[in-house]
Amino acid sequence: MVSRNYFPTAVHGGAQVSVAQLAQGLQSLGHTVAVLNVDDHAHLGIHAVTGIREYRLRLRNLYLRGDHPAPTRLAWHAIDRLGDRMAADYRAVLHDFRPDVINTHVMAGIGTTIWHVAAACGVPVVHRVSDYYLMCLNSGHRKGGRNCSGVCGSCRVLALAPARRRTALVRHVIYVSEKIRSIYDANAIFPRAVPTTILTGAYRPAQAVAPRPDLLEPGHLTIGFFGRLSPEKGLEQLLPMLRTLPAGSWRLRVGGDGKPDYVNKLRELAQSLPIDFLGVQAPDDFYATIDALVVSSLWDEPSGRVAFESGIHGVIPIVAARGGLPEMVAHGERGLVFDPDAPATLLAAIARVREDRSLREQVRARWLIDRHDYDPGVVAERTLAIYERLVGARL
């Protein structure tokens, strides 16, 4: 196979895992890969953990991260979405690396400027949609503690309208779930002529998953919550629901961290309950210590990485009926779904996982088959097929 240059882009955050897995998968197939991201300083070199070439650019905006007053945040978005301050930096990188394809991921901080520069250089762009950046200022499609049903006025002016100026420059769109594709289609983000594919993230445990007992403790369910501790993740609402479960039938292990004040609030809500706050955990280590994982998201998660990670580890996912989570587990097949607005549905799901051995065996058996679809090599090959069609069309 002829080696070609592929160029995923992303910013620091949760999408880094997917970008890193994809980049490594492409590199293992014999292709030359580099990753572009933004930071508070510039750096060119080999990323120590992944071995992938990295173009790290200094962000030309008011700040990189942190809490800021509303006027400052508004100015940041105006620069990010309407300005082209990074254009010269992007042109220099493209001139140096000379990619055959650019694959964009999380766009906050990167901006659609990269699409404009790529088009001017004749490089086709594939965009992977894993958030709501192109239609929402906070990329979460959520405001005031509620999920948005449409696009509000400020987002329409500062997010959607600027995005539509350039979405026609994208040659192929990869959505991480059918749900997020339906939301983007309903708001006409990309022209109908742009082809699309549904392709989830990649995941391979750091070590082979060891055989596990059916339940870590017979008759006792060890539940996990894994990820960022923030209001939209629903742990605050989950804790009172768990308080109604029969004593001695469960315990909860929380892996992850968040803002100290909010974490302290969660600890107060968990007082007297069998709950352990463990801080940041390695996925392999954490999943080995739980029987089931509750993904209690209140926002419309585009996909929900921890749902398929846990399933691959033999853990039973119990997910909220939000965003792409239900299609990830297909209720009763690869996990269970509950309604976060109806606590009884969560309690029933937990009881069913604890009491129904046949369900546990069925779900684990299904994940043993379906885990193939999430293997980084498989995801890389499926993504590569999209790239090669675009590159072939140019030759």
Side-chain angles (χ1 to χ4, degrees):
M1 181 179 291
V2 177
S3 176
R4 297 191 183 276
N5 290 5
Y6 297 117
F7 193 50
T9 69
V11 296
H12 289 284
Q16 275 191 309
V17 177
S18 294
V19 174
Q21 297 264 10
L22 174 61
Q24 289 175 298
L26 291 169
Q27 187 161 274
S28 71
L29 293 173
H31 299 281
T32 304
V33 183
V35 172
L36 179 149
N37 57 27
V38 295
D39 207 335
D40 58 3
H41 66 283
H43 170 73
L44 170 62
I46 302 299
H47 189 256
V49 176
T50 63
I52 302 295
R53 189 175 185 180
E54 177 187 43
Y55 290 89
R56 184 175 300 186
L57 304 178
R58 183 178 66 83
L59 178 64
R60 299 184 185 277
N61 207 327
L62 301 179
Y63 57 85
L64 182 68
R65 58 180 66 90
D67 294 325
H68 299 274
T72 305
R73 296 198 304 271
L74 189 64
W76 189 96
H77 284 292
I79 293 169
D80 182 53
R81 297 166 187 272
L82 298 172
D84 284 331
R85 290 186 176 186
M86 302 290 294
D89 300 272
Y90 296 154
R91 277 193 292 269
V93 171
L94 267 59
H95 178 77
D96 182 68
F97 187 66
R98 299 188 180 279
D100 293 289
V101 171
I102 291 175
N103 192 167
T104 53
H105 293 253
V106 176
M107 301 291 285
I110 298 286
T112 60
T113 300
I114 188 71
W115 297 347
H116 179 65
V117 172
C121 295
V123 182
V125 173
V126 175
H127 180 57
R128 181 178 186 268
V129 178
S130 56
D131 65 13
Y132 301 93
Y133 171 85
L134 298 177
M135 58 187 290
C136 178
L137 290 178
N138 64 29
S139 298
H141 200 44
R142 183 174 170 85
K143 185 176 183 180
R146 295 178 178 273
N147 294 330
C148 299
S149 58
V151 181
C152 67
S154 57
C155 288
R156 187 170 296 278
V157 171
L158 280 176
L160 184 56
R164 282 176 173 163
R165 292 184 307 158
R166 290 175 171 166
T167 50
L169 300 176
V170 175
R171 299 287 300 280
H172 197 106
V173 181
I174 297 173
Y175 292 100
V176 296
S177 67
E178 183 61 52
K179 177 64 176 181
I180 196 169
R181 177 162 66 179
S182 70
I183 293 173
Y184 265 61
D185 285 350
N187 290 280
I189 310 296
F190 289 95
R192 290 185 178 274
V194 178
T196 66
T197 299
I198 304 294
L199 189 59
T200 60
Y203 178 67
R204 179 185 294 147
Q207 300 177 356
V209 178
R212 58 187 297 144
D214 177 44
L215 291 179
L216 296 174
E217 299 178 39
H220 184 105
L221 193 67
T222 302
I223 306 165
F225 178 97
F226 195 40
R228 186 176 69 253
L229 304 187
S230 55
E232 73 278 2
K233 292 295 187 177
L235 181 56
E236 185 177 346
Q237 288 71 29
L238 173 63
L239 296 177
M241 298 183 200
L242 295 178
R243 194 174 287 276
T244 65
L245 290 173
S249 67
W250 66 280
R251 74 165 180 251
L252 176 69
R253 296 172 60 82
V254 179
D257 209 350
K259 295 181 179 179
D261 288 348
Y262 188 69
V263 174
N264 288 337
K265 179 181 179 180
L266 295 175
R267 288 180 178 275
E268 290 177 5
L269 288 172
Q271 284 185 358
S272 77
L273 293 175
I275 297 176
D276 298 316
F277 286 86
L278 306 172
V280 177
Q281 298 283 294
D284 285 52
D285 296 337
F286 183 76
Y287 293 130
T289 66
I290 61 174
D291 302 309
L293 182 82
V294 173
V295 186
S296 53
S297 297
L298 301 177
W299 77 298
D300 284 326
E301 292 262 12
S303 175
R305 185 177 184 86
V306 294
F308 62 79
E309 284 184 359
S310 60
I312 289 169
H313 278 271
V315 173
I316 312 301
I318 303 173
V319 306
R322 294 290 184 269
L325 289 169
E327 65 189 87
M328 178 68 65
V329 304
H331 184 69
E333 297 181 20
R334 303 198 300 188
L336 297 177
V337 179
F338 73 96
D339 181 354
D341 292 329
T345 62
L346 173 61
L347 302 179
I350 291 174
R352 184 178 175 192
V353 172
R354 185 179 66 245
E355 298 166 5
D356 190 343
R357 185 186 183 108
S358 64
L359 171 71
R360 299 192 297 266
E361 292 175 345
Q362 173 185 314
V363 170
R364 288 173 180 144
R366 178 67 181 269
W367 276 109
L368 282 174
I369 298 171
D370 292 352
R371 63 186 299 171
H372 170 79
D373 293 331
Y374 300 89
D375 183 83
V378 172
V379 173
E381 287 178 351
R382 292 173 179 173
T383 307
L384 182 63
I386 296 170
Y387 297 169
E388 291 185 328
R389 285 197 296 271
L390 294 178
V391 173
R394 297 169 59 206
L395 300 179

